[in-house]
Amino acid sequence: SELTQDPSVSVALGQTVRITCQGDSLGIYYASWYQQKPGQAPALVIYGKNKRPSGIPDRFSGSSSGNTPSLTITGAQAEDEADYYCNSRASSGNLYVFGTGTKVTVL
Amino acid sequence: QVQLQESGPGLVKPSETLSLLCSISGGSISSYYWSWIRQPPGKGLEWIGQIYYSGSINYNPFLKSRVTISVDTSKNQFSLKLKSVTAADTAVYYCARGDYDILTGYYYDHWGQGTLVTVSS
């Protein structure tokens, strides 16, 4: 089971960028989203339908179109430049998989 | 504030067993899932497996034959053992706390800083 993401995306400072995650299990289970900056551990940014942990700016939001969840950064800032990974339960078995990751570059 | 800290050797010889410990502070090990996740240098995240505090375990099928995850509730710790390692097991290993709610699904809300384990003779 695999979750597929676009390898990279760029966004102008202050503009909006959307990252998607595709996989067979996503019509059944929610995805969660993680931000990873160089040399750091991943950090949860979105989970469930559209929930943000404490301390995550409200420019981060989650949504879904059909079976494809998305992470949107509205008004991207320089500090949002990072790798972003989705995660969800696999379609078969009680195991979890990460997406292939999307590198976001803020121009 | 819950904190997780990985510990263990940074260098393991090929064919030997990688052993890591994750110590939890600022919170109880009870009522959560506890996971190991790894990241080879320059690559993406790979889910290794998880254990519920009560002992229920799930492993990545690609690693299942070599992996053992266990929990020690009395010490607020859980561990990872990966046997018969090769260079392909060189990675940063993270421990993470998983939580689940029927309304939100499953997610990892706390992570350790990660520890690099190199497999080399």
Side-chain angles (χ1 to χ4, degrees):
Chain A
S1 183
E2 188 174 279
L3 300 180
T4 304
Q5 300 177 236
D6 290 332
S8 63
V9 63
S10 59
V11 58
L13 185 67
Q15 296 304 300
T16 297
V17 62
R18 178 172 294 172
I19 304 163
T20 61
C21 178
Q22 296 187 319
D24 292 341
S25 66
L26 296 173
I28 309 170
Y29 304 110
Y30 283 118
S32 52
W33 292 92
Y34 303 85
Q35 177 193 67
Q36 186 180 33
K37 297 181 179 180
Q40 296 184 17
L44 178 68
V45 292
I46 290 289
Y47 63 104
K49 194 172 184 180
N50 182 20
K51 295 183 73 70
R52 282 176 289 106
S54 173
I56 300 301
D58 61 5
R59 63 179 178 269
F60 290 90
S61 63
S63 62
S64 186
S65 176
N67 294 343
T68 303
S70 299
L71 171 69
T72 299
I73 309 173
T74 303
Q77 302 299 303
E79 60 263 34
D80 300 334
E81 189 163 288
D83 294 326
Y84 291 84
Y85 294 91
C86 58
N87 175 267
S88 187
R89 184 170 170 173
S91 54
S92 61
N94 194 14
L95 61 124
Y96 292 82
V97 291
F98 283 93
T100 49
T102 297
K103 181 177 182 60
V104 172
T105 300
V106 180
L107 303 173
Chain B
Q1 174 72 350
V2 175
Q3 292 186 318
L4 285 70
Q5 179 67 58
E6 304 90 351
S7 59
L11 181 64
V12 181
K13 289 182 169 55
S15 80
E16 295 190 345
T17 297
L18 178 160
S19 295
L20 295 175
L21 193 65
C22 183
S23 300
I24 303 148
S25 59
S28 172
I29 201 167
S30 298
S31 304
Y32 293 100
Y33 298 85
W34 302 95
S35 296
W36 288 98
I37 294 152
R38 70 181 183 178
Q39 185 171 37
K43 296 188 178 181
L45 300 170
E46 180 181 28
W47 186 81
I48 298 172
Q50 70 180 28
I51 187 167
Y52 193 50
Y53 78 102
S54 60
S56 173
I57 304 173
N58 297 100
Y59 296 130
N60 183 326
F62 292 104
L63 299 171
K64 187 174 183 177
S65 62
R66 299 194 291 130
V67 173
T68 302
I69 296 175
S70 59
V71 65
D72 188 336
T73 55
S74 67
K75 295 182 178 179
N76 241 27
Q77 296 173 332
F78 66 107
S79 66
L80 169 71
K81 292 187 186 299
L82 180 65
K83 64 182 181 182
S84 305
V85 297
T86 69
D89 295 310
T90 293
V92 175
Y93 285 76
Y94 295 101
C95 58
R97 188 181 85 168
D99 200 359
Y100 173 81
D101 181 277
I102 195 168
L103 297 178
T104 62
Y106 188 84
Y107 54 93
Y108 304 97
D109 58 357
H110 289 87
W111 294 66
Q113 65 185 24
T115 186
L116 174 62
V117 179
T118 301
V119 178
S120 176
S121 55

